[in-house]
Structure formats: structure tokens, C-alpha cells
Amino acid sequence: MIKQYFKQAWYLIKQNKLFSGIYIAGTALGISMVMVMAIINHMKTANLYPETNRDRTLYLKTIIITPKDTTLKWHSSGGFSYKSCNMFFLSLKTPKLVSLEMDPVSKFVSLPNDSYLNRVQVRYVDNHYWDLFSFQFLFGKPFTEVDFRSGLPAAVISESLAKKLYGTIDVIGKYFECGFKEFRIAGVVRDVSYVLSGTYAQVWVPYTTTKSYNEEDNYHDGMIGSMRNIYLLAHSADDFDNIRTEVNENIRRYNAQSAEWNIDLAGQPDTKREEINRFWSNVGPDMHKIMLRNLLLVLLFLLVPAINLSGLNSTRMEQRMSEMGVRKAFGASRKKLFNQIFTENLLLTFAGGITGLLLSYLFISVSRNWILDLGKQIAETLPEGATVDFSMSMLFNFKIFLVVLLVCFAMNLLSALIPVFRSLRKNITDSLHIRYT
């Protein structure tokens, strides 16, 4: 019986190609827009190479410091100093590990005694960085804790940079110059797409190789400095509240002891979802407002096509009223007729879903250089030489597609229910004599 329903539905779809095309296009439009939103959110928050611990990592970027003198109506904000990191984070007991990173910078690299310069993005990190992120080492290994603590000029470079400099990735132990300082290559890792802008770089070196890592702003009790990314890796997400409590206790203790300053973290540490929505150094994200905005956008993308399809379905059912009357006259029950129309909607929605999925991939591919800036207060400039490449794990998440397809199918079904029930409730005589004008 089900097979017969599908055969009849497929025949009717082919018979009315204009209606089928409009229906599929309307469904595809809604699904493609929602899928674009879902894919972007997936890229920014899911566990992807090399950021495979996003779901159990907390993030801090900025510190806010205000004078205790209430007559002074100002505050300062910026990165953390090494002193403040040591005071508030490196002493934490709950996290599995704590990693510090300075702001990434753009520098020139070259081979020794070679005048040809390549501009690259450089990250100044610690040795725990390699335990936090799951980089795939093609050759060699990360710089060691000894390298880090001693400030030795060891570096990890990307596969593409190794090929550009040496024509091969087997370059362990060789040297290159970065910022006119010579570094020994300790490891070569698989390239990171700029989609993962939090870890994207071509060169990673110990931050102890630069003198500025422990520089402090003396005016603010040495609390503001050059550490712009603090990572707190939890054993599991269940530890987040305990980590926040421990961090807040360290802040409270400082504020109680300091005679001049109060420190505020504006709601940090953040989850990954909160971190990507934090645009200002002194104001935290309003996640309830952001979630409501996203929900309204999803409903808008799904409801507008559903309302249009409802009108289309109503017109179509009026056209098919005589057909319904004839089938009733030959003994077809309302249930059978409803199942037939339900099957038609199922096929059309499925075709629209697949089309919408392909359209979303096409849209993201065409707009790859700016699509990830959607929703940001300030657009980021793509670094020189950076490529925005998408892996299959970034683009396709079966659970997301299934949920969007089911929601869209539900909306389409609801858009068809009223016209279908109205037509099926008419008696045989009225159905046979109705004329569509």
C-alpha cells in the first residue's frame, strides 16, 4: 500500500511540474537559509580539528579594572598580564590544564641568508597549548616544556609553510628566521583552515621567546598586559560551575585586599558559544537576547515559505476537488485520501530538503571569505595568505540536517492540513459539482 502511495504521488508530481517546482523551491529556500545559520554555528562551536575540546573549554580574553575611588568615573580594559594570569588562573585546582597565549601577530619569515620574505601569522603559546588542541603532527613534535621555560627559539610550523620554504615537510632540525630571529623547527603540523580562526597560524613559538610576555602596565597594579587568550580545559563540562567559582573567588580575594583597584571579568570565563559572541572588552554577551534573535530568524525563514505554500496548497486542493469526489464515489476513505496527499507532501519536502542543503553549501562556498563574519559587530580582515577551506566535518552534520528537515516538514504539513481537511470534509456531491475559477 505504501509503495502504491509513492507511485501515485510521484506520478502526480510529474503531472503538475509547475506546482511541484514552486513547492520544492519554497521548501528549499527555507531549509537553505536555516542550514546556513546552522552550519555557521556548527563551525564556530563544534569540536573540529584542531579545536576538539571546545565543549569542555572555558575562555577568557579581557580584564576590566576600575579605581575604588568612586569619584573617578572611568575604567580600563585590555589583555591580562602574566602577573594577573599567575595570580588568578595558573593556581587553579579544578581545571585539567590552563594555557596562556599572546595576541597572534603578522610577521615575515625567511630562510637564513635569504632575502625572500613570506608574511605569516605567528602565535605565541605555551607548552600546554599542544595538550589543549589536537594538532596532527606530520613530522617532529611540539616544543618541550624545557624549550618553553628556557625561552629557546624552537618553533612548530604548518605543512604549507614548510613546503614553501624547503619544498618538503621533512624539515625537523632545520632553521628559519621569523621577525629577523632564528628559530629551530621542532615539528610540522597539518594546515589549519582560517575557519578555525582561534588556532589558525603558520608558525607557533613559545611566548617566552619574546621579552614582552611579562611586561606589565604599572599604572594598573600590573594587571593589564599582553596575554589575550586564556584557556581553561575542564575534565568535563560538569566542572564549569566549579571553575567559575574558583576564578571568582580569586578575583574576590584580590578586590578585598587591594586598596586602589577593583577587577571585573564581565561574566568570564565563557563557553565557546559565549566567547564567539563577546565583541567588546568591557561588556559581556546577552545570550538570551542572542538566542531569541536567532530563534526569530529561524521562524521567519520557515514561516514565510510555509504561509506561501499554504495558499498554494489551498488553490491546488480546489483544483483537485473533483478528483477527490470521484475517488470518494468509488469508495476511497478520507484516511486513504489524506495518506495520499501526505505522501505527496513527504516527497516534495524531501526533494526541497536535498535542494536546500545543496543550495546552502553553494552559498557558503561562494561567500567563504565573509560568511563567517555574519553576526559579528566588527568584520575581521582575512590575513595575507589565509585560505578559508571547509572540511566535510564542518559542512555536514546529519543531526542538524535531520532536525531542520523535520521542522520544515512539520511546517509544510501544517500548511497543507487546513486546505486538505476543508476539501475532504465536503460531501461527494459538492466535490463533483465544484468548479474552479
Side-chain angles (χ1 to χ4, degrees):
M1 182 64 71
I2 295 176
K3 185 178 180 180
Q4 184 65 28
Y5 283 153
F6 275 99
K7 282 185 176 179
Q8 292 175 357
W10 180 245
Y11 175 77
L12 289 170
I13 289 171
K14 291 194 297 182
Q15 191 177 42
N16 196 338
K17 294 179 180 178
L18 178 61
F19 170 83
S20 301
I22 296 173
Y23 198 100
I24 290 171
T27 304
L29 178 64
I31 284 190
S32 63
M33 292 297 98
V34 176
M35 279 301 298
V36 167
M37 290 182 61
I39 290 171
I40 293 173
N41 181 72
H42 177 71
M43 289 180 185
K44 292 181 176 181
T45 60
N47 293 335
L48 300 171
Y49 171 84
E51 300 178 27
T52 55
N53 291 316
R54 283 173 165 178
D55 58 342
R56 57 191 187 100
T57 301
L58 291 174
Y59 305 79
L60 299 101
K61 290 183 176 180
T62 56
I63 185 173
I64 305 167
I65 188 164
T66 57
K68 286 194 171 181
D69 184 350
T70 55
T71 63
L72 301 175
K73 305 296 183 180
W74 58 268
H75 69 267
S76 293
S77 60
F80 295 87
S81 67
Y82 186 77
K83 174 184 175 180
S84 59
C85 289
N86 193 47
M87 184 180 297
F88 302 136
F89 311 122
L90 294 180
S91 60
L92 295 175
K93 305 297 182 185
T94 308
K96 183 177 180 180
L97 66 83
V98 177
S99 180
L100 312 180
E101 180 189 356
M102 297 173 65
D103 248 345
V105 296
S106 179
K107 288 195 172 184
F108 289 104
V109 300
S110 67
L111 293 177
N113 303 317
D114 190 344
S115 60
Y116 182 74
L117 301 177
N118 296 277
R119 184 181 288 275
V120 298
Q121 183 147 307
V122 182
R123 287 189 177 271
Y124 292 92
V125 301
D126 59 15
N127 56 298
H128 296 301
Y129 184 87
W130 307 107
D131 298 318
L132 173 66
F133 298 113
S134 304
F135 285 87
Q136 180 184 346
F137 277 81
L138 305 177
F139 280 92
K141 57 185 180 181
F143 52 79
T144 65
E145 183 177 357
V146 173
D147 293 333
F148 171 73
R149 293 192 179 278
S150 303
L152 297 178
V156 173
I157 67 173
S158 67
E159 176 185 6
S160 59
L161 180 60
K163 290 179 179 178
K164 186 178 290 187
L165 292 177
Y166 294 97
T168 178
I169 60 175
D170 186 6
V171 294
I172 306 306
K174 295 183 179 181
Y175 289 84
F176 71 101
E177 291 183 356
C178 178
F180 306 102
K181 182 177 181 179
E182 194 170 70
F183 285 84
R184 174 182 56 85
I185 300 174
V188 178
V189 296
R190 181 160 68 90
D191 286 354
V192 179
S193 170
Y194 188 69
V195 173
L196 286 299
S197 58
T199 46
Y200 169 81
Q202 289 93 16
V203 178
W204 295 261
V205 299
Y207 63 67
T208 50
T209 58
T210 176
K211 295 179 181 179
S212 61
Y213 85 91
N214 59 358
E215 289 181 353
E216 302 167 1
D217 183 350
N218 294 325
Y219 183 69
H220 300 98
D221 197 24
M223 293 291 107
I224 294 179
S226 56
M227 296 297 172
R228 297 295 299 196
N229 292 299
I230 317 299
Y231 306 102
L232 310 178
L233 178 64
H235 293 278
S236 74
D238 295 334
D239 292 335
F240 282 178
D241 287 340
N242 292 333
I243 293 174
R244 289 190 177 103
T245 299
E246 194 175 358
V247 170
N248 290 334
E249 176 59 24
N250 288 345
I251 299 296
R252 186 201 64 78
R253 190 180 300 116
Y254 172 85
N255 289 341
Q257 294 173 353
S258 175
E260 295 184 68
W261 306 101
N262 276 324
I263 284 179
D264 184 20
L265 299 180
Q268 300 175 98
D270 294 329
T271 61
K272 187 61 182 179
R273 191 175 301 279
E274 292 165 340
E275 188 257 348
I276 62 174
N277 287 291
R278 183 178 290 273
F279 304 115
W280 310 109
S281 61
N282 59 341
V283 180
D286 186 343
M287 293 307 297
H288 293 292
K289 183 177 180 180
I290 292 169
M291 293 297 289
L292 179 61
R293 179 197 66 192
N294 292 341
L295 179 60
L296 289 175
L297 283 174
V298 169
L299 289 176
L300 178 66
F301 289 143
L302 293 178
L303 277 175
V304 171
I307 292 171
N308 291 333
L309 292 177
S310 179
L312 196 62
N313 272 318
S314 181
T315 303
R316 179 169 171 253
M317 291 310 301
E318 291 289 336
Q319 290 176 323
R320 296 180 63 182
M321 197 67 72
S322 297
E323 175 199 337
M324 298 293 112
V326 171
R327 295 179 68 177
K328 284 180 184 178
F330 280 91
S333 65
R334 289 182 180 179
K335 181 180 179 182
K336 284 186 177 180
L337 294 175
F338 178 80
N339 287 341
Q340 178 63 46
I341 297 169
F342 177 85
T343 305
E344 292 175 28
N345 269 345
L346 180 65
L347 282 176
L348 288 169
T349 301
F350 183 75
I354 298 300
T355 305
L357 181 66
L358 296 176
L359 282 176
S360 67
Y361 289 163
L362 177 62
F363 179 76
I364 288 175
S365 179
V366 170
S367 58
R368 64 176 63 222
N369 288 334
W370 57 265
I371 189 69
L372 295 176
D373 285 330
L374 287 179
K376 291 184 178 181
Q377 299 282 345
I378 301 174
E380 295 180 0
T381 303
L382 198 67
E384 183 178 338
T387 56
V388 184
D389 299 320
F390 303 118
S391 65
M392 198 59 198
S393 62
M394 295 178 189
L395 290 175
F396 187 74
N397 184 291
F398 181 73
K399 290 182 180 179
I400 292 176
F401 175 66
L402 184 61
V403 169
V404 174
L405 185 63
L406 288 176
V407 170
C408 196
F409 175 71
M411 299 300 295
N412 284 358
L413 183 61
L414 290 173
S415 71
L417 279 179
I418 295 176
V420 169
F421 278 125
R422 284 178 58 191
S423 64
L424 293 181
R425 287 178 62 186
K426 292 183 181 292
N427 59 45
I428 296 175
T429 305
D430 291 339
S431 297
L432 289 173
H433 287 84
I434 194 167
R435 291 184 178 180
Y436 176 73
T437 56

